[in-house]
Amino acid sequence: MIKKLLFVFTLMCFVLAVKAQKSAVNQTIAKWKIEDVVKSYSAKNDTVYVVNFWATFCKPCNEEIPDFIRIVEKYKTQKVKLLLVSLDLPTYVPVKLPAFIKKYNYNTNHVWLNETNADHFCPAIDVKWSGAIPSTIIVNNSNGYRKFTEDQISAEEFEASLKEAIGGQAINKFVAPMNDAEIIEWYAGDSIDKKEFVSFKSSDSAVFAVSGGKVNVIARIDHMKVMIIEKDNLYYTYSNLGSTVLNTGDVVKAEQLIGYAAFDLDGTMPTIEFYISNSETNIPVSKKDFVKRKDIRLTDHFNDPKLHEPQ
C-alpha cells in the first residue's frame, strides 16, 4: 500500500512538473520581421511607443528592463506602450526564451526578431544602429518625438525621455527668435494635420537661436541665407536670414544672436521661417510652443542698411 502511495505521489509530481514546463513553453513568442516592428510604432496617434531590443544573455539589457516595465506602468494612463524585441538565437525561442521571461516576470509585450541580416534590419530602426544591444527607440507620432539610444539607459534617463515623448519636443517652450514677433502658422493644403513650419514677422530683424547647438549647414540663395543648427539629433532650421557671421561648425548658445531676417515679399517687415526636424521627418511646432521675449534687445536693426549688405 505504501509503495502504491509513493508511486502515485511520484507520478503526480512528475505530471505537475511537466505541466509547469508546458506552461512556460506555451507562452508562445511571436516571430516578427523588422517591417512588423516598424509598423507597430508607426500608427498616427498620441500613443508613446517604447521598443527595446534585448537578449536573455545580455546583462545590461536585463539590468534596464525591470526599470522600463516599472516606469511604463507608472505612465500607462498617458498611453505608453512597451515592446521587448528579442534578438536571441532561434534555438532559444521554443523553450528558453519564454521560460526566462516567466522567471524574471517580464510582464509586457514580447516578440522575437526573425532576421539575420543586420544591414537590413538595423537601418530600418535607425541609421546609426550598429546592431549592438541594448538599444531602444521611443516614438510619439502625434508630436514628432523620436529618440534612438544604442546603450543601456538608466531609470532616470528613461523617465526623462518618456516625459519628453509625452509632452513633445517643444515641451520647454522656445523664446521667439525675434523681438515682438508675430507668429504665423503655415499648413500644406487645407488640412491642419499637415503643419509644416511657423513664420515670424517683427518690427525688428534681429534673430536669436531658440536652442543651442552646432551650425550644421549654411546655404545662400541670392540675398537669403538658410541656417541649420543641430543638437541631440534635432535640426533647427532658420530660413530667410539676410545676414549671419557664423560659419559651419560654429557652436551657438540658446538665445544667441545668429543673424538678421530678410524682408518679406512686400518689403515692409523682416520675416523668418522656422521648423524642427530629425533625421526622418519635420516636427510640428505651433504658436503654443513659443513665448515672447521679456527683454527687447538690439531693436530696429532693419533700419540700418549696412546690416543687410552681402558678406
Side-chain angles (χ1 to χ4, degrees):
M1 183 66 179
I2 293 176
K3 289 183 178 179
K4 287 183 178 180
L5 289 173
L6 286 174
F7 174 77
V8 171
F9 177 75
T10 303
L11 182 62
M12 289 176 64
C13 289
F14 175 76
V15 170
L16 289 173
V18 170
K19 284 185 176 180
Q21 185 179 23
K22 285 185 177 180
S23 177
V25 175
N26 286 339
Q27 294 179 6
T28 305
I29 307 299
K31 299 178 181 180
W32 280 16
K33 305 299 288 183
I34 195 62
E35 291 77 12
D36 299 318
V37 176
V38 173
K39 184 179 179 180
S40 73
Y41 62 76
S42 298
K44 300 297 182 181
N45 54 39
D46 59 353
T47 299
V48 175
Y49 296 97
V50 180
V51 180
N52 175 256
F53 296 87
W54 72 293
T56 57
F57 52 79
C58 169
K59 183 179 178 180
C61 299
N62 293 294
E63 288 176 348
E64 69 180 6
I65 286 174
D67 289 328
F68 281 19
I69 294 173
R70 173 179 58 82
I71 295 170
V72 166
E73 175 67 18
K74 178 179 176 181
Y75 289 91
K76 66 180 181 180
T77 58
Q78 302 288 334
K79 299 182 180 179
V80 179
K81 291 185 178 180
L82 172 63
L83 174 67
L84 297 184
V85 181
S86 167
L87 271 66
D88 280 289
L89 297 172
T91 54
Y92 283 37
V93 178
V95 177
K96 188 170 183 178
L97 178 57
F100 188 94
I101 290 169
K102 183 177 181 180
K103 178 181 179 180
Y104 291 98
N105 199 30
Y106 286 177
N107 294 325
T108 188
N109 302 305
H110 294 272
V111 298
W112 176 71
L113 187 63
N114 186 19
E115 297 281 5
T116 57
N117 184 0
D119 291 335
H120 169 64
F121 70 78
C122 285
I125 300 300
D126 193 277
V127 293
K128 300 186 300 299
W129 189 21
S130 69
I133 52 174
S135 288
T136 305
I137 185 169
I138 304 174
V139 176
N140 184 347
N141 295 306
S142 69
N143 59 31
Y145 187 91
R146 185 184 187 280
K147 184 175 184 179
F148 174 79
T149 304
E150 187 181 47
D151 201 354
Q152 184 176 357
I153 305 175
S154 69
E156 295 76 18
E157 291 172 328
F158 178 67
E159 186 164 10
S161 296
L162 217 53
K163 288 179 179 178
E164 287 182 358
I166 293 168
Q169 297 284 14
I171 189 172
N172 295 321
K173 295 289 185 181
F174 296 125
V175 176
M178 298 169 70
N179 294 327
D180 292 335
E182 174 191 358
I183 304 172
I184 303 170
E185 297 181 341
W186 293 88
Y187 305 95
D190 299 325
S191 173
I192 197 170
D193 294 327
K194 295 183 178 180
K195 189 183 305 175
E196 290 189 319
F197 57 85
V198 295
S199 288
F200 299 85
K201 290 187 177 182
S202 175
S203 58
D204 181 8
S205 65
V207 177
F208 300 89
V210 300
S211 177
K214 182 178 289 187
V215 178
N216 183 272
V217 172
I218 296 180
R220 181 189 291 275
I221 306 173
D222 295 329
H223 67 287
M224 182 186 76
K225 282 188 176 181
V226 177
M227 184 164 71
I228 301 175
I229 295 177
E230 178 184 5
K231 182 181 181 182
D232 298 330
N233 198 36
L234 294 178
Y235 301 87
Y236 302 87
T237 300
Y238 305 82
S239 298
N240 208 37
L241 278 175
S243 176
T244 178
V245 297
L246 294 169
N247 297 304
T248 301
D250 287 349
V251 175
V252 302
K253 298 179 180 179
E255 298 194 51
Q256 177 181 331
L257 177 66
I258 59 173
Y260 302 96
F263 288 102
D264 201 354
L265 292 176
D266 58 9
T268 59
M269 185 174 286
T271 301
I272 190 79
E273 295 173 351
F274 172 81
Y275 60 90
I276 308 173
S277 61
N278 56 26
S279 58
E280 292 187 348
T281 184
N282 289 347
I283 296 171
V285 289
S286 64
K287 292 181 180 180
K288 65 179 177 59
D289 297 322
F290 295 91
V291 295
K292 287 187 175 294
R293 293 186 170 278
K294 294 181 179 179
D295 57 330
I296 306 301
R297 298 176 291 172
L298 302 170
T299 59
D300 297 327
H301 284 286
F302 76 98
N303 289 325
D304 186 349
K306 293 180 180 179
L307 293 175
H308 299 284
E309 293 176 356
Q311 296 180 1

